[in-house]
Amino acid sequence: MTDAPHLSLPVISSQDLFPDLEQRPRLLLGIEPEWLTRGIRLHPSRTWHHVRHQAGGLHCAQVELLATELTPRPEREAGLRQLADLFADSNLSGWGTTIDDLVQYREALRERVGVDCNLSYRDFREAIYPVDVTPRHLRHLTADRLPERLDDLLEVDNPVILALGMVNRWRLWIIAENSD
């Protein structure tokens, strides 16, 4: 095993990492930090950050992701911005999210960005716009070179660990400025 980043990654605020987040939403691929307590390490083939992002509007929920930034395709940039603008100042998730909110988000995501959130919608809140992690969605959103199996971005001592948590391990988020 190589000496990959692990629990010692410093936590960094998305505001510090992306000072222009208000003007330019970011596309993050990652896993939740608790995966590292299970003997998983991040492969050094990408730059990783332990990002703390404030979301949910005035609720100010602090969420964390061990993430690598993906570069959106230029033709997707406007859709990402439109999506962030549509839900800015919504306070979504802070005091609940309705089915109507989810339907509106899913339609906007499909229309403006061309992807879906059928499985990832649980992460939806103001300033975090989840996308289902599929090879098609990744190819649609970014030209970044990623392995066919995202788990190849991880290193483990015991491969059984990867099998135990393969469902919903990966997150693909469009993050934007929170309105608080």
Side-chain angles (χ1 to χ4, degrees), residues 91-163:
N91 289 309
L92 282 168
S93 182
W95 291 276
T97 303
T98 67
I99 294 293
D100 289 340
D101 294 331
L102 290 171
V103 168
Q104 180 187 13
Y105 171 64
R106 188 178 193 198
E107 288 173 357
L109 185 65
R110 286 172 164 180
E111 290 172 10
R112 289 171 170 79
V113 187
V115 292
D116 203 352
C117 63
N118 191 46
L119 299 171
S120 59
Y121 67 89
R122 290 175 200 88
D123 291 340
F124 173 56
R125 61 196 75 190
E126 180 187 330
I128 295 180
Y129 309 110
V131 175
D132 289 346
V133 183
T134 69
R136 186 186 77 73
H137 287 165
L138 288 166
R139 284 190 305 272
H140 182 77
L141 290 170
T142 184
D144 286 13
R145 295 184 63 114
L146 296 166
E148 189 66 30
R149 284 180 0 100
L150 290 180
D151 282 350
D152 289 344
L153 293 172
L154 305 173
E155 295 180 338
V156 295
D157 295 324
N158 181 356
V160 173
I161 297 297
L162 291 178

Side-chain angles (χ1 to χ4, degrees), residues 71-105:
T71 304
R73 291 182 181 275
E75 62 272 23
R76 305 290 173 250
E77 293 272 354
L80 299 180
R81 177 77 256 149
Q82 291 168 7
L83 191 71
D85 289 346
L86 180 64
F87 293 101
D89 298 315
S90 65
N91 289 309
L92 282 168
S93 182
W95 291 276
T97 303
T98 67
I99 294 293
D100 289 340
D101 294 331
L102 290 171
V103 168
Q104 180 187 13
Y105 171 64

